Amino acid sequence: MSGHSKWSTIKRKKGVADAKRGKIFTSIIKEITVAARMGGGDENANPQLRQAIAKAKTNNMPQDNIKRAVMKGTGELPGVNYEEGTYEGYGPGGVAIFLEVLTDNKKRTVADIRHLMSKYGGNLGENGSVSWMFDKKGQIQVGIEAGEEEIIFESALECGADDFEVEEDMYLISTDPAELMQVKDQLESKGYEINSAEVEMVPKNLQKVEKKDVDRVLNLMNELEDNEDIKSVFANFDIDEANIPSS
């Protein structure tokens, strides 16, 4: 993949996550609330809640915010009733896009998504239209400064990881989604600092984007990321780094 970039890499390089921290907090609060509503407020007995709280802590969310979100989910505090959902379709250049949403108004959300896809020359598809192009995996990021590749690789396998790869400034460790938190805990017990640990939709193959479509693809990705109803944006594009705008 040298000389090429995927969406996750581009987001890190351009600081998209930091620039949208307010939106990230809103999304995580929704995740915590839904997880607590579905599985109870005890994170030790609710893996989905535990994962959401771990994500909140990684993003330095204040403990009071986390506690209130849990209490809204369990009904101890009044709150909005959010629903989970997924949408999928194609963006410019045949890029497959898979979206996870948490919304209190599905009609509004689907209208917003359809508008954005159409705006940039894509289209919203039926359920299943692109999901087969992705695998659901646990993804753990460890900074490249954590140690030598061979040592990290052996540690990851010992902790139950399925796969391991090096991506520029980090090690990316893949797991079975159900074992994500267990592998994360074991890596932390070995002294590794975890940058993030989430279940993601990982593309099986990448779609090369021509130079003429790069701006439309990236603008669509950014606007989808900006939408507060959209929790996660996954895409299978591959862009030559020489074609990525500098700002």
Side-chain angles (χ1 to χ4, degrees):
M1 288 302 300
S2 177
H4 296 262
S5 287
K6 298 176 287 185
W7 179 230
S8 57
T9 308
I10 292 171
K11 283 196 293 184
R12 289 198 307 276
K13 283 186 174 181
K14 297 175 75 67
V16 171
D18 288 338
K20 299 177 180 176
R21 185 162 299 279
K23 189 261 183 178
I24 290 172
F25 272 22
T26 300
S27 179
I28 294 173
I29 286 171
K30 289 181 182 180
E31 289 184 53
I32 293 171
T33 301
V34 170
R37 188 184 78 232
M38 294 178 64
D42 180 1
E43 63 177 296
N44 293 317
N46 184 343
Q48 185 178 350
L49 177 61
R50 186 165 171 237
Q51 182 183 329
I53 290 176
K55 184 176 179 181
K57 291 178 178 178
T58 297
N59 284 277
N60 299 313
M61 180 179 287
Q63 185 62 36
D64 284 349
N65 294 37
I66 296 173
K67 184 177 179 180
R68 283 196 299 271
V70 172
M71 293 176 73
K72 287 179 180 179
T74 58
E76 296 169 85
L77 288 176
V80 178
N81 185 23
Y82 296 109
E83 294 182 77
E84 294 181 294
T86 61
Y87 296 96
E88 47 196 285
Y90 288 94
V95 170
I97 298 172
F98 187 92
L99 307 171
E100 295 177 340
V101 307
L102 284 171
T103 179
D104 60 346
N105 187 326
K106 283 191 172 182
K107 288 185 178 180
R108 178 194 65 223
T109 302
V110 71
D112 287 347
I113 293 171
R114 183 174 285 113
H115 167 72
L116 288 175
M117 297 286 263
S118 176
K119 176 180 177 180
Y120 290 105
N123 63 280
L124 185 62
E126 299 292 331
N127 286 342
S129 59
V130 305
S131 58
W132 60 273
M133 300 182 185
F134 297 81
D135 287 322
K136 182 178 283 191
K137 296 182 180 182
Q139 298 276 272
I140 299 173
Q141 294 181 12
V142 177
I144 204 78
E145 69 280 357
E148 295 181 7
E149 178 179 344
E150 185 175 341
I151 295 174
I152 306 294
F153 173 67
E154 291 178 357
S155 295
L157 292 183
E158 288 173 2
C159 293
D162 291 337
D163 201 3
F164 173 93
E165 59 184 294
V166 182
E167 286 201 355
E168 298 185 13
D169 60 344
M170 70 170 187
Y171 297 114
L172 184 61
I173 299 166
S174 298
T175 76
D176 182 291
E179 297 176 359
L180 172 66
M181 298 309 293
Q182 179 181 332
V183 175
K184 171 184 176 290
D185 288 347
Q186 290 192 35
L187 285 168
E188 287 179 328
S189 72
K190 289 179 176 287
Y192 294 111
E193 182 176 345
I194 306 300
N195 292 345
S196 71
E198 298 185 42
V199 174
E200 299 183 356
M201 297 295 284
V202 180
K204 297 176 183 177
N205 296 291
L206 297 178
Q207 174 72 23
K208 180 68 182 291
V209 176
E210 300 299 326
K211 185 175 182 178
K212 64 182 178 64
D213 292 321
V214 169
D215 283 346
R216 288 194 300 157
V217 168
L218 294 182
N219 287 337
L220 173 58
M221 293 297 105
N222 277 308
E223 290 209 36
L224 289 170
E225 288 273 354
D226 277 340
N227 188 295
E228 291 201 349
D229 290 339
I230 298 175
K231 181 181 78 169
S232 303
V233 180
F234 304 107
N236 72 341
F237 67 75
D238 174 23
I239 295 177
D240 191 315
E241 288 185 357
N243 294 331
I244 298 174
S246 57
S247 61

